[in-house]
Amino acid sequence: GQQLNQSPQSMFIQEGEDVSMNCTSSSIFNTWLWYKQEPGEGPVLLIALYKAGELTSNGRLTAQFGITRKDSFLNISASIPSDVGIYFCAGQKSWNSGGSNYKLTFGKGTLLTVNP
Amino acid sequence: EPEVTQTPSHQVTQMGQEVILRCVPISNHLYFYWYRQILGQKVEFLVSFYNNEISEKSEIFDDQFSVERPDGSNFTLKIRSTKLEDSAMYFCASSYLSNQPQHFGDGTRLSIL
């Protein structure tokens, strides 16, 4: 099946630092999404990217859809303690010729720890 | 903000027993999904559902699994005869259209003894 390689696996940073994480794939996705998961909760959507080359911001978060459609990165600027959690990239791609199925393929996640 | 709700939050079941996990998707959404996350691993797709039928399923979703939308609001996942390896977090998700972002519930932790 499709694989997303997400790195780094974990990061331990000081409050105020910027963070960058990325995902790569051997195949093309039509949409890239970034989710954050906190303990005991489900993934919460942070940013959705729909076009190759697209750069989108959501507050202190910025994400880009790679020009080859095989990669994406997420940056968090000026980190704060509540940024702690697991960040997942997910690729969305049609699986049939009709284009009606868009299952998500997830990366393994980046565990972010922010030291106050 | 509308959200996907799942019940129960934790289900403990004996191996071989049937279990039903329940979800209430966001009310105007048309596409529904189940995913699972084994402890410490990534989220994996199980099945997608649209217009009262399965539109896609993964190899994990074997004959022991079934989904149903019994009424206008609930979406259920049934595991007929649970195995130890079914222990995981099960997430329900929904989207308005198939190419729009999926929104997830907080999951049901299923523990098989």
Side-chain angles (χ1 to χ4, degrees):
Chain A
Q2 302 231 326
Q3 297 286 335
L4 288 187
N5 298 309
Q6 185 171 350
S7 64
Q9 275 189 317
S10 62
M11 303 183 75
F12 190 93
I13 61 170
Q14 293 295 124
E15 183 177 0
E17 288 184 3
D18 297 344
V19 168
S20 185
M21 58 193 80
N22 70 82
C23 270
T24 60
S25 170
S26 57
S27 56
I28 288 172
F29 287 99
N30 293 327
T31 303
W32 282 90
L33 304 107
W34 285 91
Y35 288 86
K36 179 187 178 187
Q37 186 179 27
E38 297 186 36
E41 298 182 7
V44 174
L45 180 68
L46 298 174
I47 292 180
L49 302 156
Y50 299 101
K51 291 185 200 173
E54 179 182 353
L55 184 72
T56 297
S57 292
N58 178 8
R60 292 178 297 105
L61 277 59
T62 302
Q64 184 157 32
F65 192 149
I67 199 76
T68 64
R69 294 163 68 193
K70 294 183 179 180
D71 63 301
S72 176
F73 71 74
L74 174 71
N75 288 342
I76 306 173
S77 62
S79 59
I80 59 178
S82 61
D83 289 334
V84 164
I86 302 177
Y87 291 79
F88 289 99
C89 63
Q92 195 170 33
K93 177 178 177 178
S94 171
W95 283 103
N96 65 20
S97 58
S100 63
N101 294 324
Y102 281 78
K103 75 174 197 183
L104 293 179
T105 300
F106 280 82
K108 290 188 177 179
T110 295
L111 173 62
L112 178 64
T113 305
V114 180
N115 196 29
Chain B
E1 184 171 321
E3 56 183 26
V4 176
T5 56
Q6 290 185 243
T7 54
S9 56
H10 191 188
Q11 173 80 45
V12 181
T13 301
Q14 291 287 335
M15 186 172 61
Q17 296 295 306
E18 175 183 287
V19 67
I20 296 176
L21 309 182
R22 302 181 191 280
C23 170
V24 178
I26 294 173
S27 62
N28 66 336
H29 283 188
L30 303 175
Y31 291 81
F32 314 116
Y33 311 83
W34 283 100
Y35 292 81
R36 78 169 188 193
Q37 184 180 32
I38 294 172
L39 186 64
Q41 297 187 23
K42 65 178 181 178
V43 178
E44 299 174 290
F45 170 77
L46 291 178
V47 66
S48 60
F49 190 86
Y50 169 70
N51 200 26
N52 279 321
E53 59 184 28
I54 290 173
S55 48
E56 176 73 11
K57 59 184 181 180
S58 72
E59 59 274 12
I60 303 169
F61 194 89
D62 62 22
D63 291 345
Q64 294 300 311
F65 290 85
S66 62
V67 289
E68 194 178 27
R69 187 154 164 82
D71 52 43
S73 60
N74 289 284
F75 178 52
T76 62
L77 174 69
K78 179 160 68 175
I79 309 175
R80 252 179 289 279
S81 177
T82 50
K83 304 187 284 286
L84 291 176
E85 54 265 37
D86 292 329
S87 296
M89 283 291 289
Y90 287 80
F91 292 106
C92 174
S94 69
S95 63
Y96 176 57
L97 296 175
S98 60
N99 61 352
Q100 292 193 342
Q102 296 170 27
H103 295 267
F104 285 75
D106 283 340
T108 293
R109 177 172 299 284
L110 178 63
S111 300
I112 308 299
L113 304 179

